Structure formats: C-alpha cells, structure tokens
Amino acid sequence: MRRQGTACVESNKAETQQVEKPCTEETCEAADEEDEFPHPIPWQKIEAQELDCDYGLLFSKEEASRLFMQLEEEVEYFTGEEAKLQVYGKTYSVPRKQATYGDEGLVYSFSGVHLAARVWTPTLEYIRDATTNATGHTFNFVLINRYKDGEDHIGEHRDDERELDPSCPIALVSLGAVRDFVFRHKDARKEPKKCHIEPVKLELAHGSLLLMNSPTNTYWYHSLPVRKKVKTPRISLTFRRIIKGRQKRKKE
DNA sequence: GCTCTCCCAGTGAA
DNA sequence: ATTCACTGGGAGAG
C-alpha cells in the first residue's frame, strides 16, 4: 500500500457519501438560473496554511465517460513548435498533450509559448457551464492537458500568470484515469529542513472538480507526478478567467 | 538481494 | 534568483 498524506481524498468514498452541507451562496445563485445542472455538489473543503480548495464530483461516472469520449473526438492538441516550451534558453517537449480553447481572441502565454484559444466546442461549453453552475464563477478560457498514461506528467508549478484574474479561482475538471495530484508550499520546496509544511496530496477522480481558491496559487506549487501503474489516459481541463488587455501582444 | 517505484536533491541554460 | 524537466541516489515494498 502506498503512503498517503493526511489530506488525501479518497475518490471512491467521495462518490458515495452523502453530504448535506448546503452549497455556497454563489453556487445556489447560479443553480437557480438554469435547470440544466440543478444538483448542488457536496463539496469537501481542503485547507492548509494559505491553501484553500474545494473538491467534489461534478459528473456521474456515466456522464463523465460520455464527456471523455466526446473530448477524445473533438479536442485538437498542439503539435510541433506549439507543443514545446522554452525555459531559460532550453527547449523541452512537454510530457503530455495540450490544447487551449476560449473566447475569441484570447491568447494564453506561459514558459515561452503563446497559445491562441480555439473556439469552444459544444462539449467544452457544456462542461464549462456545468462548472459555472457548480461554482458561481464564469470562465473565458480552458487549458486542456491530456496524459496518455502514467508516464505523462507535469512538474511543479504555480498558475500565477499575470493575465489571470486573481479574483477568479481556477477550476480543474478531471476525466479518465484517476491520478495523484500534489501541492507543495513554496517555502517547503526552498528550505525543506527549516520549513515543516507537509505536502497536500489528492486523488483526482473521474468526473471530479477541484477549485483552487485564492491565495492557493500564490503560495503552493502543484504537480501531477509520474505513476507507472496508470495505463489509461486522463484529460484535465483547467478553466480560468483571463483579463483581456493583460495578455502579451503578439505584435504591434 | 534483487527490481520496481516513488521521492528528494541537484543540475542545466540565457 | 527564476523556470521546467530531467537525472541520480536512497528508501521502501514485495
């Protein structure tokens, strides 16, 4: 049995447990407007020093599987130069596939790549709206990462791009294989001997939604580590709100 | 005692 | 110092 941290979320438990805690004001507000996603999510709060997340199941297993298959048909991932990133003069091919969708004209930049958002597909709009109804937040952009198996991964990073609206949490929807997800506090990475802030480890279930609230992304790095046992793909969708005008201009 | 996996610390490069 | 991915070594499982 693998060791796990104290804040670990057991996905199978989350699926069956009945939490009657009411949703937040924001959640109810959004749910009232439309009937499409009428059921409030039972949220689990995940907290640590300067870390504030909400975790819940957004989709049933059946619906999540349907959405996963649709995305496998619809989503076009970047290839070639756009699938590489550049950090301090070194070029890497990312160990996963990436795609960006969003409102017209949005460009998302990180680590030396500038990715123009493609137009929303019907499935992505559906997932986006379900996320909005569950959270009360609206999103104009989504970064999609596809991890073909347990070898694909992403290293520790923060989503602290300047163009992100700091008042809007980042919403991470997971479909497909269950993967571990690890938060580490920035002080714990720098001075692990002096600083005793433990990493926070989660399992992200098929159909789950993880909300990363402010100021989580200022202080905590997160990663999706290699897991050799995982043989099937996972698609993650991170919905964000980009502030127009803060983006880097391509030219001009 | 092996092998595999995970985790941590260290490295590169402008 | 910073970024991201990679590498090597040690620990733990079986």
Side-chain angles (χ1 to χ4, degrees):
Chain A
M1 185 62 174
R2 187 165 36 81
R3 284 186 296 123
Q4 288 183 331
T6 48
C8 173
V9 172
E10 288 287 333
S11 53
N12 49 350
K13 277 183 205 154
E15 203 164 356
T16 49
Q17 78 181 6
Q18 294 295 322
V19 182
E20 54 210 325
K21 182 173 163 255
C23 52
T24 65
E25 327 93 63
E26 288 173 327
T27 310
C28 292
E29 218 171 273
D32 286 343
E33 285 172 17
E34 281 182 52
D35 250 353
E36 210 176 358
F37 309 102
H39 307 296
I41 297 184
W43 292 106
Q44 273 178 259
K45 198 73 181 165
I46 299 164
E47 281 176 304
Q49 178 185 325
E50 292 148 342
L51 182 142
D52 177 3
C53 293
D54 296 284
Y55 177 85
L57 286 181
L58 181 62
F59 300 114
S60 68
K61 197 176 272 182
E62 293 71 29
E63 187 168 27
S65 300
R66 176 178 67 80
L67 294 169
F68 181 90
M69 290 190 293
Q70 289 175 200
L71 290 180
E72 288 287 69
E73 295 289 318
E74 284 178 19
V75 175
E76 286 182 64
Y77 294 94
F78 291 111
T79 57
E81 288 309 300
E82 288 180 312
K84 294 186 173 133
L85 54 80
Q86 211 164 353
V87 333
Y88 289 81
K90 216 168 184 174
T91 304
Y92 299 94
S93 295
V94 293
R96 61 190 170 275
K97 279 182 173 176
Q98 297 187 311
T100 52
Y101 288 79
D103 294 354
E104 206 182 327
L106 286 182
V107 176
Y108 187 56
S109 303
F110 61 94
S111 307
V113 274
H114 309 282
L115 302 177
R118 302 184 204 273
V119 217
W120 295 103
T121 72
T123 307
L124 290 173
E125 283 179 336
Y126 180 85
I127 299 172
R128 178 198 64 195
D129 293 344
T131 306
T132 292
N133 281 328
T135 65
H137 292 279
T138 58
F139 306 93
N140 61 8
F141 181 87
V142 64
L143 171 68
I144 305 176
N145 281 290
R146 184 182 187 276
Y147 304 89
K148 69 175 189 307
D149 57 28
E151 303 276 1
D152 275 2
H153 62 279
I154 190 165
E156 285 190 334
H157 67 286
R158 295 178 291 176
D159 292 317
D160 60 347
E161 283 76 22
R162 223 180 66 85
E163 64 226 74
L164 292 179
D165 183 341
S167 72
C168 182
I170 292 175
L172 167 57
V173 174
S174 298
L175 298 170
V178 176
R179 289 290 293 264
D180 290 342
F181 187 82
V182 182
F183 284 103
R184 257 172 90 203
H185 195 280
K186 64 179 176 67
D187 296 339
R189 316 168 74 225
K190 231 186 197 168
E191 305 186 282
K193 283 163 196 160
K194 280 169 70 177
C195 172
H196 298 111
I197 306 175
E198 290 300 309
V200 173
K201 303 178 185 188
L202 314 176
E203 271 186 355
L204 299 178
H206 185 40
S208 68
L209 169 59
L210 179 70
L211 260 191
M212 294 185 264
N213 303 303
S214 174
T216 306
N217 254 310
T218 310
Y219 296 98
W220 291 77
Y221 287 70
H222 57 268
S223 66
L224 193 87
V226 168
R227 287 296 178 261
K228 306 271 188 187
K229 271 172 269 191
V230 176
K231 303 295 182 195
T232 55
R234 166 177 180 268
I235 295 175
S236 87
L237 306 100
T238 49
F239 292 93
R240 302 138 191 266
R241 187 148 70 230
I242 292 182
I243 300 177
K244 292 175 188 177
R246 279 216 198 164
Q247 303 157 64
K248 290 189 181 129
R249 309 265 169 178
K250 279 216 146 165
K251 265 181 192 167
E252 171 198 311

